[in-house]
Amino acid sequence: MDHYERRRLADHAPERGSVLFALGLGAAAGAAGYAWWARANRADRVDHPGDSAPGRTARRSRFGGYAVTGRTVTINHPRQELYNYWRDFKNLPLFMEHVKDVDVQGDLTRWVIAGPMGRDVHVETRITDARDGEQIAWRSTETSDIDTEGKVMFRDAPAGRGTEVLALIAYKPPGGELGRWIASLFQREPALQGRRELKRFKMLMETGEIATNRNRRTAA
Amino acid sequence: MRALTWQGKHDVRVETVPDPEIVNPRDAIIEVTSTAICGSDLHLYDGVIPGLMSGDILGHEFMGRVVETGPKSTLQKGQRVVVPFTISCGKCFHCMKQQYSACDNSNPVEKQDLSEPLYGHAMSGLFGYSHLTGGYPGGQAEYVRVPFSDVGPIVIPDGMDDDEVLFLSDILPTGWMAAENADIEEGDTVAVWGCGPVGLFAVQSALVMGAARVIAIDHHPHRLELARKLGAKVIDYTQTKMLEALMEMSGGFGPDAVIDAVGMESHGFAPDAVSDQVKQAVGMGADSAHALREALLAVRKGGRVSMPGVYGGFVDKFPLGALMEKGLQVRTGQTHVQKYTKDLLKRIQDGELDTTFMISHRLPLEEAARGYENFRYNQNEWTKVVLKPGTSLS
Ligand SMILES: NC(=O)c1ccc[n+]([C@@H]2O[C@H](COP(=O)([O-])OP(=O)(O)OC[C@H]3O[C@@H](n4cnc5c(N)ncnc54)[C@H](O)[C@@H]3O)[C@@H](O)[C@H]2O)c1
Ligand SMILES: [Zn+2]
Ligand SMILES: [Zn+2]
């Protein structure tokens, strides 16, 4: 790891609020979450049939037991390359805050995520749907600390503008203290955190680096 | 190194701070040889732009020598460069359209959260201009870390003085873009509010672009004199009924295009200006926009409004009706500096543009605070201040 990579990691020292997005993106596929999925993705909502905005932009943020967030960003880079980069989960900590470690074993991926007060959160995900160059979906397995699923979709932007990347995350607040903590974070700033992760991904893909205003490699 | 830091409203100090290092692959480190104080810095000095933190290094108009390069920089050690105040990646959608000051990738992600709620979109990164635009350490310093150094800095050929090219960093392209945004046609009368450095360069650019008449407006006699020497007609707004004069001086039409080179701290004695200033003084987030209101009333029907002057928040009593009913076009923005530097360098070399006439004072960096104070309070004589790091006290 060269110093740029180390710096990137150092920049992503834990900050309250972004665990969930990381979790979501880190997390893999069951039938359980399917209801929110269909609704969050549906173009025309039942409760508001005249509106073609995506469900994830609805004023309400709960779909069944799940909280849902999503964000789109256009990246001036070929679709297949973006897909390949994301599909190699080992790359994700370079732009995701909090992801401390990623261990890929076939279909299963284990994520260690920096939690509050030095506590680690463990999530194991299974890929539920990977379509080359188009989308990657995942869902957490039962051994995980958190019940989550998500997917990231890649499609060509119009008129050669690159690729539209859409990330969708759903998460079910677990019980207990951890659950309350996570729920409070998630309800506060899920969209914000999703936005941050995707913007870092965009920076890295478009410019080869992640912008920082620091003018020293190490804290002075 | 030594650097000019902001400590609070009307309190700037040169302090010793750590030297910058290469952080990202496309970075370069520049040893600053000349750096200027801008009218935009006065908005920071006056505390009317939000998002500054005490200790922030100011300055966004600078040039110098390359002393260090990251592995992806295309610069070479020893080259002399002028650095645009806009930090732009050169690869995103906006940069590809040459809308460099709208770059998506230069403002650090955490900082983007500040401007996104305020403006609906995050701003791009700028040097030394508050945390809304990234909180990047600025150029009124001995050294600066310059991100995306393969895209922004323009290499200066030997034999050209710093003074001739320094303003490629901001105010020369800003005056030029202001005139370009005025969409000047043959026979046009162009009125420019403000004869600070930006207004003066806008006057010069409008004349180069073929305006038949340029009318420059201010109240400082020396600044008006500089505009007159460039070839403009001038109006002292403290002595003249502005709207009547502008109609009379443009054949009864009103100016075809108007340029607001004053910005959010417009002076004036009309009721709207006084009420703006009171709101600004009590921190209500209101911009003073007297010049802009006047420009909107003065401009002819179907005319163009160009706004290089900086605004940060909201204005009251904006004559929206005049804008709509007269069918005006408005163009504005932080300057897309990188779009203009090459062409303008050539025009300087060809002797088409005079870039040194407005420099009134050259001070050692150590005396920067004195420069700010005078550029703010003695505007008539202090028309532009250039700071020189590494020189001894005068
Ligand atoms: N768009 C950009 O990228 C960009 C870049 C640089 C500067 N700027 C902005 O341009 C503006 C001017 O910059 P500057 O360096 O020339 O500043 P400056 O403060 O030196 O000049 C402003 C001038 O406006 C005059 N003025 C004030 N009220 C007036 C009024 N009501 N009518 C006419 N004149 C009036 C002042 O007397 C002064 O001479 C500032 O707002 C600055 O922030 C914008
Ligand atoms: Zn400036
Ligand atoms: Zn860009």
Side-chain angles (χ1 to χ4, degrees):
Chain A
M1 194 154 65
D2 64 16
H3 80 251
Y4 302 111
E5 287 174 23
R6 254 183 279 118
R7 210 267 309 153
R8 251 171 237 144
L9 294 180
D11 264 4
H12 304 159
E15 193 174 318
R16 281 170 64 86
S18 67
V19 154
L20 283 149
F21 198 78
L23 268 180
L25 293 179
Y34 200 77
W36 74 262
W37 195 253
R39 302 178 83 155
N41 264 329
R42 200 155 50 209
D44 47 336
R45 298 201 297 269
V46 177
D47 54 342
H48 198 167
D51 179 339
S52 51
R56 64 184 178 281
T57 61
R59 287 181 183 278
R60 74 195 159 105
S61 59
R62 286 308 181 94
F63 295 82
Y66 286 83
V68 178
T69 184
R71 183 84 178 188
T72 303
V73 70
T74 297
I75 303 183
N76 186 14
H77 207 74
R79 181 161 53 85
Q80 188 69 43
E81 283 180 37
L82 295 181
Y83 175 91
N84 293 349
Y85 191 90
W86 196 296
R87 181 65 187 79
D88 185 356
F89 292 155
K90 282 273 174 211
N91 286 328
L92 303 191
L94 285 177
F95 63 91
M96 289 187 178
E97 284 181 316
H98 303 296
V99 177
K100 284 168 67 175
D101 192 41
V102 180
D103 178 32
V104 182
Q105 304 281 343
D107 245 14
L108 290 176
T109 306
R110 284 191 204 93
W111 308 80
V112 182
I113 290 150
M117 289 172 284
R119 192 161 142 189
D120 287 344
V121 177
H122 294 263
V123 179
E124 184 183 68
T125 61
R126 185 188 304 282
I127 294 196
T128 56
D129 188 12
R131 274 178 255 158
D132 188 37
E134 288 177 17
Q135 77 166 42
I136 306 163
W138 56 85
R139 174 158 187 81
S140 53
T141 65
E142 284 180 357
T143 67
S144 297
D145 291 345
I146 294 165
D147 174 2
T148 177
E149 68 180 304
K151 72 172 167 180
V152 54
M153 283 166 274
F154 305 84
R155 62 169 180 252
D156 292 331
R161 291 183 181 193
T163 308
E164 288 179 5
V165 181
L166 161 61
L168 279 171
I169 304 300
Y171 148 80
K172 192 170 210 168
E177 196 195 332
L178 175 67
R180 278 197 299 278
W181 172 73
I182 288 170
S184 73
L185 285 187
F186 196 52
Q187 279 155 24
R188 201 175 309 145
E189 305 202 273
L192 176 85
Q193 292 309 329
R195 195 163 86 200
R196 286 184 170 189
E197 309 291 6
L198 279 181
K199 280 179 174 171
R200 281 197 199 87
F201 180 55
K202 174 178 162 81
M203 284 178 173
L204 196 55
M205 295 298 100
E206 289 187 340
T207 76
E209 54 189 56
I210 293 173
T212 175
N213 62 14
R214 299 206 342 230
N215 66 358
R216 314 253 319 157
R217 287 192 287 275
T218 49
Chain B
M1 67 166 180
R2 302 287 285 166
L4 187 276
T5 60
W6 186 89
Q7 300 293 339
K9 189 175 167 183
H10 297 158
D11 182 3
V12 292
R13 292 176 221 164
V14 176
E15 297 199 322
T16 300
V17 299
D19 286 358
E21 301 172 329
I22 300 281
V23 179
N24 270 337
R26 294 170 62 187
D27 290 355
I29 305 291
I30 309 295
E31 180 185 11
V32 177
T33 53
S34 294
T35 174
I37 305 176
C38 179
S40 300
D41 292 328
L42 294 180
H43 303 320
L44 305 176
Y45 188 65
D46 290 340
V48 297
I49 295 268
L52 271 170
M53 284 156 65
S54 114
D56 283 349
I57 301 174
L58 303 187
H60 58 270
E61 302 184 355
F62 62 99
M63 63 177 295
R65 227 179 322 273
V66 179
V67 291
E68 231 187 299
T69 54
K72 295 274 171 59
S73 172
T74 50
L75 296 176
Q76 278 147 30
K77 283 184 200 167
Q79 280 178 324
R80 280 174 75 218
V81 293
V82 176
V83 180
F85 78 95
T86 39
I87 305 175
S88 314
C89 79
K91 314 278 185 188
C92 70
F93 173 79
H94 302 95
C95 285
M96 300 305 275
K97 289 180 88 71
Q98 295 196 303
Q99 295 176 337
Y100 293 102
S101 74
C103 177
D104 269 342
N105 294 322
S106 58
N107 194 349
V109 168
E110 315 74 50
K111 301 292 175 187
Q112 295 193 14
D113 297 341
L114 299 173
S115 51
E116 208 166 302
L118 193 58
Y119 301 137
H121 289 80
M123 312 256 312
S124 64
L126 306 178
F127 285 104
Y129 213 73
S130 97
H131 289 255
L132 286 181
T133 56
Y136 281 94
Q140 288 160 5
E142 289 183 285
Y143 298 93
V144 187
R145 168 189 164 240
V146 176
F148 306 130
S149 65
D150 53 325
V151 175
I154 177 163
V155 178
I156 302 302
D158 290 338
M160 298 185 83
D161 286 344
D162 275 22
D163 286 355
E164 282 179 275
V165 292
L166 171 62
F167 301 142
L168 285 169
S169 57
D170 175 355
I171 50 172
L172 181 63
T174 296
W176 188 264
M177 185 167 113
E180 200 176 81
N181 280 346
D183 249 328
I184 296 165
E185 293 171 5
E186 208 187 331
D188 272 0
T189 300
V190 179
V192 179
W193 274 254
C195 294
V198 170
L200 290 169
F201 276 141
V203 166
Q204 182 173 232
S205 304
L207 288 166
V208 169
M209 289 179 197
R213 280 183 287 227
V214 175
I215 303 169
I217 302 150
D218 206 302
H219 71 289
H220 294 302
H222 177 60
R223 291 186 171 210
L224 287 171
E225 191 49 36
L226 289 177
R228 196 201 303 272
K229 280 192 197 144
L230 291 171
K233 305 256 179 282
V234 302
I235 300 179
D236 177 343
Y237 67 83
T238 60
Q239 318 227 337
T240 300
K241 290 185 201 153
M242 288 285 298
L243 295 179
E244 286 177 34
L246 286 168
M247 286 297 275
E248 291 309 305
M249 293 165 80
S250 58
F253 273 118
D256 302 275
V258 291
I259 298 178
D260 169 9
V262 175
M264 63 195 282
E265 292 184 78
S266 176
H267 325 146
F269 308 105
D272 67 319
V274 174
S275 121
D276 284 348
Q277 284 157 17
V278 168
K279 283 183 201 145
Q280 217 165 41
V282 300
M284 284 170 63
D287 292 346
S288 178
H290 179 67
L292 180 60
R293 292 190 191 98
E294 201 165 66
L296 286 167
L297 295 189
V299 65
R300 75 158 163 82
K301 289 177 281 184
R304 286 93 53 188
V305 181
S306 162
M307 286 169 53
V310 163
Y311 294 86
F314 305 88
V315 300
D316 271 358
K317 304 188 184 59
F318 184 77
L320 193 57
L323 183 73
M324 188 278 159
E325 300 291 352
K326 295 206 286 183
L328 305 180
Q329 295 176 41
V330 179
R331 288 169 74 187
T332 181
Q334 297 284 356
T335 304
H336 306 304
V337 179
Q338 289 88 335
K339 178 177 175 185
Y340 300 102
T341 43
K342 228 173 127 194
D343 172 54
L344 291 174
L345 175 63
K346 174 138 197 325
R347 290 174 190 271
I348 298 169
Q349 286 173 310
D350 294 348
E352 197 181 346
L353 297 171
D354 180 354
T355 49
T356 58
F357 71 93
M358 69 179 62
I359 302 175
S360 57
H361 294 79
R362 294 174 184 82
L363 301 179
L365 175 64
E366 294 296 326
E367 290 185 39
R370 190 161 77 85
Y372 270 83
E373 200 181 334
N374 282 288
F375 187 49
R376 176 71 181 85
Y377 296 109
N378 296 316
Q379 290 200 315
N380 188 41
E381 295 80 26
W382 289 64
T383 49
K384 188 73 183 177
V385 183
V386 176
L387 303 169
K388 301 274 183 184
T391 52
S392 54
L393 292 176
S394 60

